[in-house]
Amino acid sequence: MNCKLVSIVAIALSVWSAAWNCAIAQDNAVAVQSKRDAGADAPKNVLSPVEWKAVDLAVERALKWLAAVQQPDGSFPTRDTGQPAISSLCMMAFMAHGHVPGSSRYSPQLKKATDYLISCQKPNGLITLLGPDGPQINRDWGEESLTPPERVFGWNSFEVLAFKTGNPDRVVNAIPPNATAWCQLRFVVGTDPHDILPALRRHLDRGGFQRVETRASREGFFPATRLDPDHPWVKWAEASLERTTGRKPAVLPNLGGSLPNDVFADTLGMPTVWVPHSYASCSQHAPNEHLLAPVARDALRIMTGLFWDLGQPGGVPRR
């Protein structure tokens, strides 16, 4: 999260909080007057007129700054994954201080922000900039001969996790003497995991990089598994999900994650079907990884339906 984003969130929340506290304090002032009329002592934490004026001036400066950084499309600066939530918070900051569309100094900004918020709503009602379809896949990523789905689900994916070279604390205008890259390979069924490092070694040698060393960073790995999409258990699970949700589920041959599924599929010989509960813009493994409430509710319904159907006599495959 960058400094500008932190500033915008902090200012929006602070302005909204200040205005909200102002409203509470004003309500308390009415209660205080009633208690005073009844002879009760007034609370001591009500701000003086001078203090309230200082708060109002601070809020006004913050609103002026928010208006200045509003984008041409009506949004307020943040990452795409934070929209339109951050822009909505900024709108609340204006409205909590008495500014509303059509009848205040900041009406143009609120009108643009409102139009932006409405533009983020998807056909299914979800209000988000990226979801439910998620970020677009780079068309140049992966093997050229494969379709985008094949690149994701049917092919190995090599990724550089981290890279270190040179000394950032003592930068010199020279080629660093060494460099280290930490990489991983997400591989599919049909890839011999014991030949991954030897294959990489052969590739580097063919390119003339004999001085590049390779070694495994971990002792173990998760063997890849796959259940045939036409397997009876897949068809059973697909039918159960469709009965519960009223929608035909998407069946994928692979998952992108690393799981010890070989314990069930290979060691125990059990057919396995994974039912993930997420959506494309969940920012998985990122600092802002999240699960939407509608997705959680659907997950409860789906799994309840699956276990219910498992208990029905004669309703499950024999293998």
Side-chain angles (χ1 to χ4, degrees):
M1 184 175 289
N2 58 40
C3 295
K4 180 177 287 187
L5 171 58
V6 173
S7 299
I8 290 177
V9 174
I11 287 178
L13 289 175
S14 298
V15 172
W16 176 81
S17 176
W20 180 253
N21 289 335
C22 174
I24 293 176
Q26 289 171 351
D27 289 341
N28 285 341
V30 176
V32 168
Q33 184 64 41
S34 299
K35 290 183 178 181
R36 183 180 292 115
D37 293 341
D41 292 335
K44 299 178 181 180
N45 61 347
V46 177
L47 298 180
S48 68
V50 175
E51 291 170 327
W52 276 122
K53 185 176 181 180
V55 170
D56 289 337
L57 289 175
V59 170
E60 186 55 42
R61 288 196 302 271
L63 294 179
K64 184 177 180 180
W65 184 84
L66 283 176
V69 299
Q70 188 177 29
Q71 304 299 293
D73 63 356
S75 66
F76 292 86
T78 186
R79 296 176 179 176
D80 288 346
T81 52
Q83 293 290 17
I86 298 302
S87 294
S88 300
L89 283 173
C90 294
M91 290 177 62
M92 290 173 59
F94 286 101
M95 298 176 69
H97 206 59
H99 299 284
V100 294
S103 61
S104 70
R105 183 170 67 249
Y106 293 109
S107 291
Q109 287 82 2
L110 288 171
K111 174 65 167 59
K112 290 172 60 178
T114 301
D115 291 341
Y116 172 77
L117 178 61
I118 294 174
S119 71
C120 290
Q121 187 170 32
K122 305 301 180 184
N124 66 351
L126 180 66
I127 300 178
T128 181
L129 178 63
L130 296 179
D133 300 323
Q136 295 297 312
I137 296 175
N138 187 336
R139 293 289 176 177
D140 295 327
W141 175 84
E143 295 290 332
E144 295 182 359
S145 61
L146 303 178
T147 65
E150 288 172 338
R151 297 176 192 182
V152 176
F153 302 117
W155 202 250
N156 297 334
S157 176
F158 185 84
E159 181 179 4
V160 178
L161 299 177
F163 187 83
K164 181 179 180 180
T165 184
N167 187 350
D169 296 326
R170 297 180 61 86
V171 179
V172 295
N173 187 22
I175 298 175
N178 53 62
T180 303
W182 288 264
C183 310
Q184 73 171 8
L185 182 72
R186 297 290 180 95
F187 59 92
V188 298
V189 171
T191 302
D192 181 4
H194 299 286
D195 191 47
I196 292 176
L197 278 182
L200 180 59
R201 178 73 273 162
R202 294 192 296 270
H203 174 75
L204 291 172
D205 290 345
R206 284 195 301 268
F209 297 101
Q210 288 82 5
R211 295 184 61 183
V212 176
E213 298 178 7
T214 62
R215 62 175 181 267
S217 59
R218 294 180 179 178
E219 293 296 328
F221 52 83
F222 295 132
T225 63
R226 178 192 291 135
L227 185 63
D228 190 333
D230 292 326
H231 191 280
W233 272 107
V234 177
K235 296 300 182 182
W236 175 88
E238 185 178 2
S240 174
L241 295 178
E242 188 170 0
R243 281 194 299 271
T244 299
T245 64
R247 301 189 301 269
K248 188 175 181 61
V251 178
L252 305 178
N254 300 315
L255 284 176
S258 297
L259 298 167
N261 194 59
D262 61 296
V263 174
F264 303 99
D266 298 335
T267 304
L268 299 179
M270 297 174 59
T272 55
V273 178
W274 289 86
V275 184
H277 307 301
S278 188
Y279 79 116
S281 296
C282 69
S283 299
Q284 195 169 51
H285 300 322
N288 59 337
E289 180 177 359
H290 61 279
L291 176 66
L292 297 177
V295 177
R297 284 193 292 269
D298 281 346
L300 291 172
R301 292 174 54 238
I302 288 171
M303 299 312 296
T304 300
L306 277 173
F307 284 111
W308 178 273
D309 290 341
L310 276 173
Q312 298 302 305
V316 296
R318 293 186 176 276
R319 64 180 181 92

